[in-house]
Amino acid sequence: MLTKIECSMYIMIKIGGDLMVELGENILIIQSPVFEQLSSMFIIQDYANKQTKRELNGELQKWVDEKVRSIPQILKDELEVFFSQETFIGLSMIRYAYETNCYQSLEKFIQQIESDSAHHIFEHFLETGFTPTEVSDIHDFTEVRLFIKNTSLPENEKWKLTYLYVDIENTKNRFISLMKQFYEFYFKTDLPYFLKKQQENIDYLKGKQIFSTREKVGEAFPVIPSYVIENKAMKLILSPSYFYDTSSLSSDSEQSFIYHYGINEYDSNTKNKMSQDDVLDAIKIVADEKRIRIIMLLNKAPRYGYELAQTLSLSNSTISHHLSTLHSIGIVYSMRIENKVYYQLNKDKLKELMETLTKSLLE
């Protein structure tokens, strides 16, 4: 990656720079070490537990493999607690970091958590998007226990969340300790390189005028819901990620939509213009039995994650994986209605895929 001299120079540049730039039409671009570390911890946990099928570019795959080999088991266990694909606890802190304005540095992020109440932190831990209701009183044990019970999580994950809540002060301290250890021993050295790759991506997309209007952002990243692109009163926050590579993560509220996108996602989208191979790949994605059932349900009406999980008797991570896969080819998109994120079928995209397949077969 970078030499020590290059790293020192780059750190000096970034300290004097701005990690957030506000453009026209309420578009914001954020470079966040906090977002990136949280993403890296999720990806490493994913690979350490062999829970993923996502493909990474060679350089990133090498970095992840190296960390998976070098991280001690006790730390891997903590990563599993806070970054499991079932609960998404750690990734919920991306929105927390933005809303508490501590996304600029890990030091500021840790200080914010240390000064915050354990109950407020845990309230964010529960914001997975896969629950039928929201917790109205995070201090009410009975309500929180019932909330966890009504999630679509596997029983062992429900027990884990309940225990974390019962031991809530220690849970907060465990998360802080995990963030500090991971940063100090596995992330800090290479952070300047990750920021450099983020900046290269921002400059690249600026050169293509991608950030000039919300419409162009929507064209470049078609998985961003149309209601976000059209609502210029809503902040559209774009945050590049080295670790998400060709994938993305989104988080929205009534006031803002965070799109944490992989630095290779745009080029991947550009290449995916439905060549014959692309059509075949898309058909393989749609042909999965569970995805067909999801499509059939969404064809009737938009659904949110909990409904889909309950109806199909699937776990959060399984539903999330299938929705993400369908999302990647544009067949499914998300939208916020009141306080819930719903998923809706893109019927036009599905028709386009079927028509392209028919044309390919009959030519």
Side-chain angles (χ1 to χ4, degrees):
M1 293 187 174
L2 296 182
T3 66
K4 289 184 178 179
I5 294 176
E6 288 174 324
C7 285
S8 299
M9 290 174 63
Y10 193 69
I11 290 171
M12 289 174 66
I13 292 170
K14 291 311 298 180
I15 288 175
D18 191 350
L19 295 178
M20 190 273 283
V21 177
E22 188 162 3
L23 305 175
E25 298 192 343
N26 225 359
I27 301 170
L28 286 75
I29 302 174
I30 286 179
Q31 284 183 270
S32 172
V34 178
F35 292 2
E36 198 69 294
Q37 177 169 323
L38 292 169
S39 300
S40 71
M41 295 167 83
F42 177 73
I43 297 295
I44 286 176
Q45 188 282 140
D46 222 10
Y47 274 86
N49 289 279
K50 299 180 173 59
Q51 293 179 324
T52 187
K53 293 182 181 179
R54 74 174 75 209
E55 297 180 2
L56 304 175
N57 70 68
E59 180 187 64
L60 177 53
Q61 186 69 65
K62 183 179 178 181
W63 190 92
V64 170
D65 290 341
E66 178 187 326
K67 295 301 179 284
V68 169
R69 288 193 301 269
S70 61
I71 293 175
Q73 188 59 47
I74 188 170
L75 202 61
K76 288 180 182 176
D77 292 342
E78 287 295 271
L79 284 171
E80 169 63 16
V81 169
F82 291 100
F83 289 89
S84 165
Q85 278 200 7
E86 296 290 353
T87 54
F88 307 102
I89 286 175
L91 291 179
S92 70
M93 299 305 282
I94 286 180
R95 175 155 289 280
Y96 173 89
Y98 170 73
E99 291 183 347
T100 56
N101 194 31
C102 62
Y103 60 83
Q104 303 94 335
S105 73
L106 268 298
E107 180 182 10
K108 191 172 182 180
F109 179 67
I110 295 299
Q111 289 174 349
Q112 173 62 36
I113 296 176
E114 288 176 334
S115 65
D116 206 346
S117 73
H119 284 85
H120 186 225
I121 302 299
F122 199 85
E123 194 169 23
H124 277 268
F125 284 171
L126 294 178
E127 294 177 355
T128 63
F130 288 92
T131 51
T133 58
E134 295 183 346
V135 175
S136 60
D137 185 0
I138 193 64
H139 296 276
D140 185 334
F141 174 76
T142 301
E143 181 186 350
V144 173
R145 184 171 58 84
L146 185 61
F147 176 89
I148 294 172
K149 180 181 178 181
N150 288 333
T151 67
S152 54
L153 294 171
E155 286 302 315
N156 64 314
E157 291 295 326
K158 292 180 181 180
W159 279 109
K160 181 183 82 176
L161 269 181
T162 303
Y163 173 77
L164 291 175
Y165 179 74
V166 170
D167 199 21
I168 197 166
E169 290 294 338
N170 188 45
T171 295
K172 168 183 163 179
N173 292 332
R174 284 172 65 182
F175 183 72
I176 291 172
S177 177
L178 176 61
M179 292 296 297
K180 286 181 175 179
Q181 288 184 67
F182 190 88
Y183 175 70
E184 187 65 33
F185 297 108
Y186 305 103
F187 191 76
K188 180 172 69 173
T189 300
D190 293 325
L191 176 57
Y193 181 76
F194 304 146
L195 292 174
K196 175 176 178 290
K197 299 299 286 186
Q198 289 180 13
Q199 186 61 55
E200 288 175 354
N201 172 264
I202 291 171
D203 293 340
Y204 172 61
L205 295 183
K206 278 185 176 179
K208 290 184 171 291
Q209 302 295 309
I210 299 302
F211 302 137
S212 59
T213 66
R214 293 175 82 100
E215 286 73 18
K216 288 191 175 181
V217 171
E219 291 171 3
F221 300 110
V223 295
I224 297 178
S226 58
Y227 76 88
V228 173
I229 299 299
E230 294 165 4
N231 183 8
K232 294 183 180 180
M234 174 182 278
K235 288 185 184 297
L236 175 54
I237 302 158
L238 303 168
S239 174
S241 170
Y242 178 75
F243 285 92
Y244 265 85
D245 197 21
T246 59
S247 303
S248 62
L249 166 72
S250 61
S251 171
D252 65 348
S253 67
E254 293 182 1
Q255 293 78 34
S256 63
F257 183 90
I258 300 173
Y259 191 66
H260 190 53
Y261 67 90
I263 60 174
N264 293 313
E265 184 183 355
Y266 171 75
D267 285 339
S268 177
N269 290 342
T270 303
K271 283 188 254 184
N272 291 335
K273 294 300 183 182
M274 285 295 174
S275 65
Q276 191 173 54
D277 288 341
D278 295 330
V279 172
L280 292 175
D281 289 341
I283 291 299
K284 289 177 185 177
I285 288 174
V286 174
D288 180 271
E289 179 185 352
K290 292 184 178 63
R291 291 172 196 152
I292 290 175
R293 293 177 68 191
I294 290 172
I295 289 171
M296 292 172 68
L297 286 170
L298 294 182
N299 183 49
K300 296 178 181 178
R303 308 278 182 121
Y304 67 104
Y306 177 80
E307 288 181 299
L308 290 169
Q310 290 293 302
T311 303
L312 299 176
S313 300
L314 298 174
S315 68
N316 286 354
S317 62
T318 301
I319 281 291
S320 178
H321 169 70
H322 289 311
L323 288 171
S324 177
T325 304
L326 292 170
H327 194 267
S328 70
I329 58 173
I331 289 178
V332 166
Y333 62 93
S334 61
M335 62 179 182
R336 175 170 288 273
I337 300 177
E338 295 180 346
N339 292 321
K340 294 176 183 176
V341 177
Y342 283 76
Y343 294 89
Q344 186 163 332
L345 183 65
N346 187 339
K347 296 182 182 181
D348 290 338
K349 186 68 176 180
L350 184 59
K351 287 178 182 177
E352 177 190 342
L353 173 61
M354 294 297 106
E355 289 170 0
T356 306
L357 174 63
T358 301
K359 185 177 179 181
S360 299
L361 290 174
L362 298 180
E363 278 184 346

